[in-house]
Amino acid sequence: MGYQLPYAPPPPTYTIVLRGSPFRLSSTQIRADSPNHFTGVFLGGNGGCAVYYSDRRSTYFDLIVEWLSGYDDFLDPVKPRDGMSERQALEALKAEAEHFKLKGLLLRVDHELAKCAACAAALRLAEQHVRDRAPTRVSLIEDFCDSVRDSDSSVTRLMRGVKSGPPQCFSFASLRVRCAR
């Protein structure tokens, strides 16, 4: 007769129902970013409960479950939902982290929001720079064949690169790119 493993009961799971969408968490997940709202509800001093109902939106809760599961790359799939920008989506996730008192997640989202703010500031600076300076050489629109200024003989010559003379500047609506030689 083979060796039989002793019976171990499955770990307890707790259910969170957000606007009718159920999510199941293990006690390990609940304790991951503790103390938090879930440790109080499920593991509280009065014995807690097994099911928690809330009217919070479930839109970003799958990301919260990933965070509580210990994944660090869970923010990669944060995409704007319901017509939101990336920053607005992160703000919505931040609101959920604040509500559920997930301090570690809150710090992580704040870090991502700071990166978004830095990128937005750099973009505003670049856009202002483009607005302040008119294109100096060539404006290229759609298929690079609309117009050529300052005595350039052909767009194809520009696209192949020029061996001598100043670098060429191409203007795409509000974006200006300086091509290296």
Side-chain angles (χ1 to χ4, degrees), residues 7-29:
Y7 173 75
T13 59
Y14 303 92
T15 304
I16 299 166
V17 181
L18 304 174
R19 293 187 182 179
S21 299
F23 296 89
R24 286 180 179 56
L25 297 176
S26 69
S27 58
T28 305
Q29 288 171 308

Side-chain angles (χ1 to χ4, degrees), residues 64-124:
I64 291 173
V65 171
E66 293 294 304
W67 170 255
L68 294 173
S69 298
Y71 292 103
D72 195 33
D73 62 349
F74 70 99
L75 283 178
D76 292 343
V78 172
K79 301 286 186 242
R81 300 171 189 197
D82 301 325
M84 295 180 175
S85 69
E86 182 180 355
R87 185 193 54 76
Q88 289 169 326
L90 285 168
E91 289 286 350
L93 181 58
K94 179 180 177 177
E96 296 304 308
E98 287 172 340
H99 174 77
F100 293 120
K101 297 178 176 79
L102 298 166
K103 293 175 188 158
L105 178 58
L106 191 57
L107 288 172
R108 176 67 193 275
V109 172
D110 278 341
H111 176 74
E112 293 299 317
L113 282 168
K115 287 186 347 187
C116 280
C119 288
L123 182 59
R124 279 192 302 276

